[in-house]
Amino acid sequence: MDSFFNNRYIDEIGAGVFRLFLWGILFAGIQACSSSGPDQRFDYYPVKVEPEFASGFRVYYFPSYKRVEIVNPMDSSHIEHTYFLVEHGTKPPENEDEFPVIRVPLSNFSCLSTTHIPFLKKLDQLTKLAGVGHTDRIIDSTLAQQIEEGWTLEITSSGQPDIERILYANTHVLFAYPFDAYALTSLDRLNIPVVYVVESNEKSALARAE
């Protein structure tokens, strides 16, 4: 009888050690998967954007980020700007220091030009607009209400970009035209990516809309 209980006790200890060993392997496997990051396992972009009319931008897809190149529509071999759009919670590309990294989806952004408003409204993104330039020119009733309630702030002063106002609006990304570049150089040091929009250089209305 004593031998029976001793053997059973030993068996239970052995089973417990085995379970502990198994959990250790599983936990190590989970840690290994976590360290490699979700970007190594999933394709976040099963649907790819392929410009049909526009020639001013190109998009290259990777499992967890996109590389977007803004090119000169008159000379597509000349790359004006490059951006990495990286999903939240995933690793940026190894050469992230070379170009601006923008975490997506965006929680908010600002734009200097009122010409962007119709596009933002069509994309149902006006509620994410933290700041806009030239608020006295706004005719969209929804955006006008956001400005009146202080949800969207004025980010220009005397017709020029106002860095303090851009910061006060808690801007995550700023959309601007290239001719504003000189006035916005300080934003690079403040880690606020500036995306320069060049749709006005496209050759057709369909290309500009795209």
Side-chain angles (χ1 to χ4, degrees), residues 155-204:
I155 58 171
T156 53
S157 178
S158 301
Q160 299 300 316
D162 189 312
I163 302 301
E164 290 187 3
R165 293 187 181 189
I166 292 171
L167 292 173
Y168 184 70
N170 192 31
T171 300
H172 289 182
V173 172
L174 178 67
F175 291 93
Y177 282 119
F179 51 74
D180 291 316
Y182 181 78
L184 300 173
T185 53
S186 61
L187 291 182
D188 292 335
R189 300 191 299 272
L190 299 171
N191 295 321
I192 298 178
V194 181
V195 176
Y196 292 104
V197 185
V198 292
E199 92 281 353
S200 58
N201 292 334
E202 294 287 355
K203 300 176 181 178
S204 69

Side-chain angles (χ1 to χ4, degrees), residues 1-207:
M1 184 67 71
D2 290 341
S3 176
F4 170 78
F5 281 112
N6 287 339
N7 290 338
R8 182 177 180 183
Y9 181 66
I10 291 172
D11 289 343
E12 288 179 354
I13 292 177
V17 171
F18 175 74
R19 285 195 297 270
L20 183 62
F21 179 69
L22 180 62
W23 275 112
I25 293 176
L26 289 174
F27 182 72
I30 292 172
Q31 288 290 89
C33 289
S34 298
S35 63
S36 64
D39 44 321
Q40 304 299 318
R41 301 176 57 204
F42 305 107
D43 182 1
Y44 284 77
Y45 312 108
V47 178
K48 304 327 193 241
V49 171
E50 296 183 5
E52 184 178 354
F53 304 102
S55 58
F57 71 96
R58 295 190 288 254
V59 185
Y60 299 94
Y61 287 87
F62 301 86
S64 63
Y65 68 91
K66 291 176 277 192
R67 176 188 172 115
V68 179
E69 294 178 350
I70 308 299
V71 301
N72 188 329
M74 305 302 175
D75 179 10
S76 59
S77 65
H78 182 66
I79 301 173
E80 303 278 359
H81 304 281
T82 300
Y83 306 92
F84 287 127
L85 309 186
V86 183
E87 291 290 324
H88 287 286
T90 66
K91 293 181 180 179
E94 293 181 358
N95 53 341
E96 62 172 306
D97 295 334
E98 188 177 354
F99 303 111
V101 171
I102 301 173
R103 289 287 180 175
V104 293
L106 290 173
S107 57
N108 81 52
F109 51 84
S110 295
C111 64
L112 282 173
S113 177
T114 57
T115 59
H116 299 154
I117 303 306
F119 300 117
L120 296 175
K121 187 168 186 177
K122 185 67 176 179
L123 294 170
D124 195 25
Q125 297 295 309
L126 280 183
T127 57
K128 293 184 179 180
L129 190 59
V132 64
H134 314 289
T135 55
D136 57 317
R137 303 176 188 174
I138 300 297
I139 59 175
D140 182 86
S141 59
T142 301
L143 183 54
Q145 183 68 23
Q146 288 181 198
I147 294 170
E148 183 178 347
E149 295 175 354
W151 182 264
T152 301
L153 305 181
E154 165 73 77
I155 58 171
T156 53
S157 178
S158 301
Q160 299 300 316
D162 189 312
I163 302 301
E164 290 187 3
R165 293 187 181 189
I166 292 171
L167 292 173
Y168 184 70
N170 192 31
T171 300
H172 289 182
V173 172
L174 178 67
F175 291 93
Y177 282 119
F179 51 74
D180 291 316
Y182 181 78
L184 300 173
T185 53
S186 61
L187 291 182
D188 292 335
R189 300 191 299 272
L190 299 171
N191 295 321
I192 298 178
V194 181
V195 176
Y196 292 104
V197 185
V198 292
E199 92 281 353
S200 58
N201 292 334
E202 294 287 355
K203 300 176 181 178
S204 69
L206 284 174

